[in-house]
Structure formats: structure tokens, C-alpha cells
Amino acid sequence: MDILANLNPQQQQAVTAGGGPVLVLAGPGSGKTRVLTQRVAYLINRMGVPPYRILAVTFTNKAAREMQARLERSLEQSVQGMWLGTFHAVCARILRREQQYLPFTSSFVIFDDDDQTSLIRRALKDLKLDEKSFRPNSVHSAISNAKNNLILADDYPAGTYRDEVVARVYQRYQELLLASNAVDFDDLLLYTWKLMNDNPNVREQYQQRFEHILVDEFQDTNLVQYSLLRLITGAHGNLFAVGDEDQSIYRWRGADYRNVLRFEEDYPAVQKILLEQNYRSTQNVLDAAQAVIDKNRYRTRKKLKSMPDKGAGERLSLYEAVDDYGEAAFVVDTVQQLIARHQAKGGDVAVMYRTNAQSRLLEEAFLRAGMPYRLVGAQRFYGRKEIKDVIAYLRLVQNPFDEVSLARVINVPARGIGDKAQLNLQLAAQGAGVSAGEVLLRLAQEGKQSPFWEQLGRSVTLLADFGTLLAGWRAQVDVMPLPNLFDRVLEEVNYEYFVKDGSEEGDGRWENVQELRRLAFEYEERGLTAFLENLALVSDQDTVQEGAEAPTLLTLHAAKGLEFPVVFITGLDDGVLPHNRSLDDPEEMAEERRLFYVGLTRAKLRVYLVRAAQRNVYGNFQDSIASRFLDDIPANLLQEQAGGFRARGGGRAQKQAQATWESRALRTQIGAAARQQPAAPVIQQQFRPGMRVRHPAWEEGIVLESKILDGDETVDVFFESVGFKRVVASLAKLEIIKK
Ligand code: ATP
Ligand code: MG
């Protein structure tokens, strides 16, 4: 295997660079991610570095999985032992190993955004602060900001009255987290940094272990991440970072592209390597993107150069719809035409937007056209009530101190433990300085002998019963395979009966639970902790599916690092992109520009820029003006699509009338269609349980189950050769041999 084949000379230089700090700075599509992957292969295969001495940090879990698969394919060996994952996943792993240095145990849980908000609320309440004056979200983001800048609760700077309040909430919030044996996302990073910072012996141990550290998307690291990298990188300084300052788009999460400058200052011996050749896009796409980004100040200009064999490519299409309904309709029509003309397959297309809320009209338009699509976003599945309930049960089994999960399920399904009983439980726990979960377990164990028995009044037997259930599950954690434990918990609380209320939605809810159960099977060996951790760290971008037949709908943020032959960027109106919030802040405006730049540079062949002359804002149509970023694209690179608003001419009043009429007509249609359509993209199901099928590689098998998942028919098959497999019907070339 030739690791250096298919790399240009600069890429080769980066892959084979000697030890010490290396910084690869280069524009989009220049092969940074490829270089990082090949460098790992090079270290293992040519330099004899054992995989376990390598730490590679990717921006998403999905990118980590892909990198691992690619490495194992090209090296034809397992890279097990290598640490490969996001900063958060790597930190969680470190924290679980080092509990003797930490204020929580290794079975800590990771609180998601909702959990965090409810804990902030609880902290505000404990401190008798009014949520109206101190909005939980804004207090939370102040705390998160502090954490990302290495500021611990004790060090929170006092200044204004508000700062003092935030400092107190921060303190209380941390106490509550610890009482729940929980950490939030920011804590994963902060505690790891503190662990390394305060304990030279631990630090040295990791420094010795990781002979090579590699980081992708370096421009989106924040201060904690950067500081942590510095601590883990030992005296050898073998830190290899790749990035592009123009693609830094996570400022709101504390990302700071100036880390690139810090890197150069902190490691004067750094080898800087520039990659100049873009392999992804046509020159027209690159010229447009470059014109947009060149308006940003304080950056190093770089020229984006496409592969000569690609030619200039098509101009970028611009379409101005009458309103946002028309915008969505244009996207769907155009996708259908591209497919009909064999210019693209559904899966080649990405439709991008600034905020998640913009997906709704697009989804409706796809539904109305009967076209499958894929929506990227973890929330859709993991945000569902039934999924959160089940996860809360499992989290409680792993960690009975978890107050947030306990509050969620103590009376779900209803078991007679009402508000009053819950309050009594809390008071009893507080009085004894233990967690509510502990009180339950002790009631179960000690029965009437328990000092808590008297205190808890009439509901005590119900509480003790719940404690008995919990104790029973906990006794099984290390004994019972995860899927069985999963079933047992749900059976004992009668969860199926609870969610299946006879309605179609009820059946859907139970199916979702089954979907989660299927995932639990994948964690049979690694167990409950790994399962829960994976769930906690799943991000939007992890839900992008490979080899999809259908167009992908995703935010510009989620599109980072990806590439698609055809890209639509919708909502190119001032106030949408750039976003309203950024209009009077130059730094924010620069970030919005980078976001647009990231979107444009995802495209290999075609770009459609779409906007609407009017938008429905809270039920009213409001005029909107074209995004200022469009003005920066030279006219010769743009072509206006026929049928748009401007192309039609007519006076303003006439346009207005026409617009209103059209959108009303459209909305009526959409409304009617939405009422008729089932809640999933319409596609035909071909396989039924019991059918015999043949697969090109796995030969014959029998269909166990078939269902539509995210717009594709997904079939579970038992193959004689390889056992149970789940395949997507449209991709797997399954042949039916017996109905
Ligand atoms: P981004 O900044 O968007 O993350 P990147 O710099 O990481 O982009 P890659 O994703 O690694 O770029 O590469 C972009 C595309 O170019 C990929 O399809 C990759 O396979 C291809 N590519 C990279 N280098 C080469 C090369 N030397 N020869 C052919 N194709 C290449
Ligand atoms: Mg990349």
C-alpha cells in the first residue's frame, strides 16, 4: 500500500513531516482531512508508531468513525488502541479513568442541554432569584462562557450585580451537578484540563502515552481545548494541527480562531505547511466563495485554485422567490428537474439554511411532492419524550444520584408519587445530606427500620416500592446484557402500556423505543456506561447518513467538513443570513460571512442561492431585502433563474398582490397536502417478513422486518452466511426470491 500515492507534494510534505509541532493551514477542499488521516497511516505503517500511542481529535463522532474505517481499510489492520474521537469523547474517557482525582465517580452521567437548563432553574430557585430577571438561558450561557475560558466558579470575576448573581448561580449549579454525580458538556473539557493542570503525575502519564497528537478543524478549538492540547503534548511537541481560519464558525461555543496565532507563538519551532490545490469545487464556485470571504479583515488572503480538469464550471444560480413558500417550492422543483434530467441523484443534493426553524417549510414542500429527504439533527430522535424517559431510567440505573433523571421518571408512568410526595422526598434527602435516589435505595433496603420511613408520610410505601425496583435493576448492571436490562426496566414499569395508548402516535412512540433498543444491542459488549455516553455526545452532524439516496437538509453549521455535488443555500436575506443578531457586531458579522463561505465551499459542481422577497414572520408577511453577501459575488459568476420575483417585473403593488395571491394559494395546497400526508416521506414498501431474499455478497436470507425509516425502506434480514443485518433497500440490491 502506498500511503503517499494520491497526494500532491505539499500534502506529502505534511504527511511525512518530522517530529515537533506542525500546522497545516489551508483553504476548504485542499485535503486537510485527507492529510491528517494519511499521516496517521504513515506513522503507524512507516514509522512503526503503535496505534495506542496516537491521539487524533476530530470535530464529530461521525468523522472519527469514518477516519477509523478508512484507516483500517488502507492499513488492512485494526487501529484499536488508538484514541480517536471528539474532544468531548476523549475527555469523557480520561475522566472515567481518573476518578481518584475527581469530585465525582467514574459512573458520572453527562447532562444534555435540557438537563442543564432544568438544573439552572433549580439553582435560581434555590437562591430565590427570579427567572424573569435572570433568564436561565442567558445565565447558562454566561456560565458556559466562563467554563470555556478556564474560569472556575470560585474565580468568577465580580463586577456588576449581574456578575455576582451569575457567580452565585454558577456555584450552586456546580453543587447540584456534583450532587447528581453529573457533568455538563463544558465540564468534560474543564475538569480534564484541571486534572492535567493540577496533577503533574497524571499529566506526564498522558504525555508519555501520546507520542503523537493530531487535531482536525483546529480553527474551531476554544481556549480550554487549546490549553488541554498544550498540557497533553509532552516535551516532544508532536502536535499536528490542520485548519482554516476562514472556516471558524463556532464562536458561540467559545471557538477562537486566534488559537492559530497562539499555536505559532507557543511553539516557535512550528513547521507551517500551506496546501494550495482545491480538489473539491469548480473555479466558479471558488471565485464566488473567495469574493465573499475577501471582505473579511484581519486574515491571511489565500487564492483558491481548482483542478484544471474541472474547468470553470457552471455559474451560480440565483433565485428570488415571491415568498418563503415559493422558496421551498423552488428547491423541490429544481431537485426534481435535476433528477429527471439525470444531472444529479437525490443523494447528491444538500439544502442548507442558517437556522433549524427554516427546515419546516422545506420539509413540507418535500412531503407535498412525495419526495423523500433526510433531515440532519439529533434532536429529532433524541429530543422525543419517550426516548428521554427511557434514557432517564437507564441513567438512574447507572447513577442513582442523578436528580434530574429521577425527577423525570419518578412518577412517569404515574405511580402515585405526586408533587407533595416528591417534595417530602427532597426535604428528607436534604435533611440527611444525601441524594433522593439514595433515600429510595435505603427505604428499599431497610424498610420500616429506615430513619426515613416516618418522615415520608403516606406515600412511603410507594417510594419504597420504586426504590426496590431501582435496587433490583442496579443489581443487574454488571450481570445482565444491556438489551435484557433495557427490557427488564421497561417491563417492570409497564412502559409499553404507558406509551401505546391505542393511537397511531402511540404505536410510533413505541417504535421509537424499539429503535433505541436496537442501538442498545450494539452496546451489548461495551455496556451501559458506553451506551449512555454515546447518547449524550451525539451531535447533529452525527446524524448525516452516508450513501443516502435522498437530499440532505441541514444547517450551515452542520455542513462543516462535508461535500456535495449540488448545494442549495436558502434564506439569503438580510436578517436571516447574516442573522439578525449579528447586524451591529462586526465580529459576529465576520462569523456569518465565514458561515456562508463554509456553505459555498461544500459544493463540488453546482450552487443555487435562494431567497424570498417576503417572509412569513410570526404569521405576518414582511418584505425582506437580499443578503448583503450576495452583493459581494461578482455578477459574471451569477445567473438569475427564470420565474423568480425580479425577473417577472411589474410594479410594486402588482407584485405585492401577486405575491399574496400566490402564497395564499400555495399555503392552501400545502395545508391540504400536509393533512393528507402521513408523517413520513412517501415511499413504497417492497419487503415483508418471511420473504426470502438474495444479497450480492451475503447470499440468501430471510426478511425479519421491514419499515420506513427516515424516508428509506430499511430491512432487517437474517442471512445464513453472516447472521443478522440491517440494510437500506434502495441501496442494498436485495433480490426477492420467494414471496
Ligand atoms: P474542508 O476544509 O472543507 O474540511 P479539507 O481541506 O479537509 O476540506 P478534504 O475533505 O480532505 O479537504 O478533501 C476534499 C476532497 O478532495 C475530498 O474529496 C478528497 O478526497 C479530495 N482530495 C484531497 N486531496 C486529494 C488529492 N491529492 N488527489 C485527489 N483528491 C484529493
Ligand atoms: Mg476537512
Side-chain angles (χ1 to χ4, degrees):
M1 168 217 38
D2 189 357
I3 294 168
L4 302 178
N6 301 321
L7 294 175
N8 67 35
Q10 287 111 326
Q11 292 177 327
Q12 291 187 7
Q13 191 197 344
V15 167
T16 60
V22 180
L23 190 54
V24 179
L25 290 178
S30 57
K32 294 183 297 299
T33 303
R34 179 186 272 215
V35 159
L36 189 123
T37 312
Q38 291 309 93
R39 180 163 172 90
V40 173
Y42 177 82
L43 291 172
I44 295 174
N45 188 276
R46 297 286 179 81
M47 304 305 287
V49 179
Y52 75 91
R53 312 255 349 225
I54 298 176
L55 166 64
V57 185
T58 54
F59 198 72
T60 63
N61 302 300
K62 177 173 167 281
R65 281 196 299 275
E66 279 167 16
M67 195 174 290
Q68 170 157 2
R70 202 156 292 156
L71 281 168
E72 294 189 338
R73 230 181 301 128
S74 75
L75 290 173
E76 294 173 0
Q77 75 172 75
S78 153
V79 292
Q80 242 187 359
M82 168 170 170
W83 281 36
L84 172 59
T86 62
F87 271 108
H88 288 93
V90 167
C91 288
R93 191 163 169 187
I94 294 176
L95 295 177
R96 292 213 194 275
R97 296 155 61 107
E98 309 296 343
Q99 69 165 336
Q100 72 266 36
Y101 300 96
L102 297 164
F104 40 82
T105 74
S106 62
S107 54
F108 68 85
V109 291
I110 302 166
F111 273 2
D112 68 15
D113 287 335
D114 286 351
D115 305 327
Q116 293 168 30
T117 309
S118 71
L119 220 57
I120 293 277
R121 291 220 151 91
R122 172 95 192 269
L124 287 167
K125 208 165 118 200
D126 289 356
L127 298 170
K128 309 213 162 28
L129 291 163
D130 184 11
E131 278 193 18
K132 290 204 192 68
S133 320
F134 302 98
R135 293 218 332 278
N137 279 340
S138 100
V139 176
H140 184 223
S141 76
I143 295 175
S144 171
N145 238 328
K147 289 183 175 179
N148 285 330
N149 284 298
L150 300 171
I151 299 169
L152 303 171
D154 288 337
D155 309 327
Y156 197 86
T160 62
Y161 172 60
R162 192 185 155 73
D163 291 339
E164 263 167 53
V165 168
V166 172
R168 279 162 58 211
V169 180
Y170 188 176
Q171 289 274 7
R172 182 69 192 140
Y173 173 66
Q174 290 311 113
E175 284 165 20
L176 291 171
L177 279 167
L178 286 185
S180 280
N181 199 28
V183 299
D184 67 15
F185 294 131
D186 303 319
D187 283 342
L188 288 171
L189 307 172
L190 188 59
Y191 277 118
T192 310
W193 171 79
K194 196 165 158 25
L195 170 75
M196 300 286 171
N197 192 56
D198 297 356
N199 301 283
N201 57 330
V202 180
R203 181 167 72 230
E204 277 155 26
Q205 183 198 322
Y206 285 89
Q207 288 178 345
Q208 274 160 21
R209 172 178 180 137
F210 296 127
E211 204 181 320
H212 286 274
I213 298 171
L214 302 94
V215 189
D216 198 5
E217 304 276 4
F218 181 71
Q219 76 283 354
D220 270 325
T221 49
N222 62 26
L223 186 63
V224 198
Q225 290 165 340
Y226 178 71
S227 310
L228 185 60
L229 284 174
R230 287 219 64 192
L231 287 175
I232 300 193
T233 305
H236 53 64
N238 294 337
L239 178 56
F240 183 93
V242 310
D244 175 8
E245 53 181 348
D246 291 331
Q247 294 186 66
S248 176
I249 55 174
Y250 280 88
R251 188 168 181 254
W252 49 284
R253 284 198 328 215
D256 186 354
Y257 62 88
R258 284 168 303 184
N259 283 340
V260 172
L261 301 177
R262 288 201 182 103
F263 190 118
E264 294 180 52
E265 273 166 31
D266 292 339
Y267 296 93
V270 65
Q271 269 194 76
K272 242 167 96 170
I273 297 170
L274 308 175
L275 309 177
E276 282 164 350
Q277 178 64 55
N278 176 295
Y279 289 91
R280 180 180 293 147
S281 313
T282 64
Q283 192 62 48
N284 278 346
V285 171
L286 294 180
D287 286 347
Q290 175 144 10
V292 167
I293 201 68
D294 274 350
K295 286 276 155 62
N296 265 0
R297 299 164 67 194
Y298 313 119
R299 56 180 282 275
T300 328
R301 285 197 172 211
K302 27 185 195 293
K303 179 94 188 91
L304 301 177
K305 198 172 75 198
S306 81
M307 288 295 279
D309 61 343
K310 283 199 163 61
E314 306 217 6
R315 287 187 289 166
L316 288 74
S317 297
L318 173 65
Y319 183 80
E320 310 201 274
V322 165
D323 59 21
D324 38 6
Y325 295 88
E327 177 180 49
F330 168 77
V331 171
V332 175
D333 287 351
T334 311
V335 174
Q336 284 181 322
Q337 283 169 28
L338 287 171
I339 295 173
R341 291 198 220 113
H342 303 288
Q343 288 172 320
K345 296 199 291 288
D348 292 341
V349 177
V351 185
M352 300 174 189
Y353 34 82
R354 173 68 180 83
T355 61
N356 275 307
Q358 288 168 261
S359 74
R360 194 182 58 86
L361 288 182
L362 289 163
E363 285 189 78
E364 278 178 9
F366 275 104
L367 282 173
R368 192 159 47 93
M371 256 200 96
Y373 62 88
R374 287 175 190 279
L375 182 73
V376 172
Q379 284 316 310
R380 211 165 118 204
F381 183 71
Y382 295 104
R384 288 178 166 135
K385 179 184 177 303
E386 61 277 12
I387 298 300
K388 298 196 84 161
D389 284 351
V390 176
I391 293 175
Y393 269 110
L394 295 174
R395 287 206 326 203
L396 206 53
V397 174
Q398 161 168 292
N399 170 27
F401 306 104
D402 179 343
E403 302 275 347
V404 174
S405 296
L406 180 65
R408 182 171 186 101
V409 297
I410 191 166
N411 203 31
V412 172
R415 53 178 71 87
I417 305 179
D419 290 348
K420 177 110 188 297
Q422 289 179 41
L423 185 67
N424 284 341
L425 173 64
Q426 243 180 40
L427 291 175
Q430 267 166 22
V434 297
S435 73
E438 266 176 289
V439 175
L440 293 179
L441 292 175
R442 282 185 54 186
L443 285 174
Q445 199 187 8
E446 299 160 0
K448 291 203 170 97
Q449 314 303 321
S450 166
F452 295 112
W453 197 274
E454 290 295 309
Q455 268 173 284
L456 287 166
R458 270 190 306 152
S459 333
V460 68
T461 45
L462 297 172
L463 291 168
D465 287 349
F466 190 57
T468 308
L469 283 179
L470 187 56
W473 302 329
R474 282 183 54 74
Q476 299 300 322
V477 174
D478 297 324
V479 190
M480 203 179 241
L482 180 56
N484 302 45
L485 181 65
F486 188 105
D487 290 343
R488 173 162 165 183
V489 171
L490 295 194
E491 259 163 48
E492 292 191 351
V493 302
N494 229 340
Y495 198 76
E496 179 172 0
Y497 179 78
F498 170 67
V499 289
K500 272 171 102 173
D501 54 6
S503 69
E504 228 174 273
E505 290 85 37
D507 290 348
R509 285 195 289 268
W510 184 242
E511 270 174 35
N512 292 334
V513 173
Q514 293 308 304
E515 190 57 39
L516 188 64
R517 179 174 185 271
R518 232 163 263 143
L519 191 63
F521 266 98
E522 291 177 23
Y523 283 81
E524 195 163 347
E525 274 173 22
R526 280 170 286 169
L528 182 60
T529 307
F531 177 61
L532 290 174
E533 184 163 306
N534 172 282
L535 294 178
L537 296 181
V538 68
S539 72
D540 277 3
Q541 211 190 35
D542 295 325
T543 65
V544 177
Q545 293 191 20
E546 293 305 297
E549 289 275 281
T552 302
L553 273 51
L554 75 179
T555 61
L556 289 159
H557 280 105
K560 184 169 138 135
L562 305 179
E563 55 189 25
F564 300 90
V566 181
V567 167
F568 288 80
I569 302 181
T570 64
L572 277 162
D573 298 292
D574 249 23
V576 181
L577 181 67
H579 195 276
N580 257 327
R581 277 194 309 259
S582 64
L583 298 181
D584 25 75
D585 179 343
E587 284 273 355
E588 288 288 321
M589 185 58 81
E591 174 114 343
E592 295 288 305
R593 198 178 271 287
R594 290 192 290 268
L595 199 49
F596 183 37
Y597 177 72
V598 167
L600 286 170
T601 54
R602 301 306 95 200
K604 293 186 181 179
L605 294 170
R606 282 167 205 260
V607 173
Y608 292 88
L609 304 169
V610 200
R611 65 166 297 254
Q614 289 199 321
R615 287 192 179 270
N616 188 342
V617 183
Y618 303 120
N620 287 320
F621 272 92
Q622 290 180 4
D623 287 344
S624 67
I625 54 168
S627 169
R628 61 192 71 190
F629 298 157
L630 289 175
D631 297 340
D632 300 326
I633 302 179
N636 65 332
L637 297 176
L638 287 174
Q639 72 188 17
E640 194 145 347
Q641 285 293 114
F645 181 65
R646 233 193 297 181
R648 270 182 230 167
R652 192 181 157 75
Q654 186 193 337
K655 275 193 228 164
Q656 196 91 18
Q658 188 186 8
T660 317
W661 183 86
E662 280 184 14
S663 53
R664 225 180 265 140
L666 251 176
R667 258 172 299 159
T668 319
Q669 279 178 32
I670 291 173
R675 278 190 294 282
Q676 283 161 16
Q677 297 280 0
V682 190
I683 74 160
Q684 288 292 322
Q685 224 165 316
Q686 319 172 39
F687 298 93
R688 278 188 308 279
M691 280 179 170
R692 282 200 78 73
V693 290
R694 192 197 314 275
H695 181 273
W698 300 323
E699 301 293 340
E700 280 188 35
I702 185 157
V703 173
L704 301 178
E705 197 182 351
S706 165
K707 54 159 65 175
I708 308 290
L709 275 180
D710 281 341
D712 264 329
E713 183 174 7
T714 309
V715 194
D716 292 349
V717 185
F718 189 85
F719 291 100
E720 274 93 333
S721 60
V722 289
F724 175 83
K725 288 276 172 195
R726 162 167 290 199
V727 297
V728 173
S730 56
L731 300 178
K733 304 212 174 62
L734 280 184
E735 180 195 343
I736 299 175
I737 43 182
K738 189 159 150 269
K739 297 222 165 180

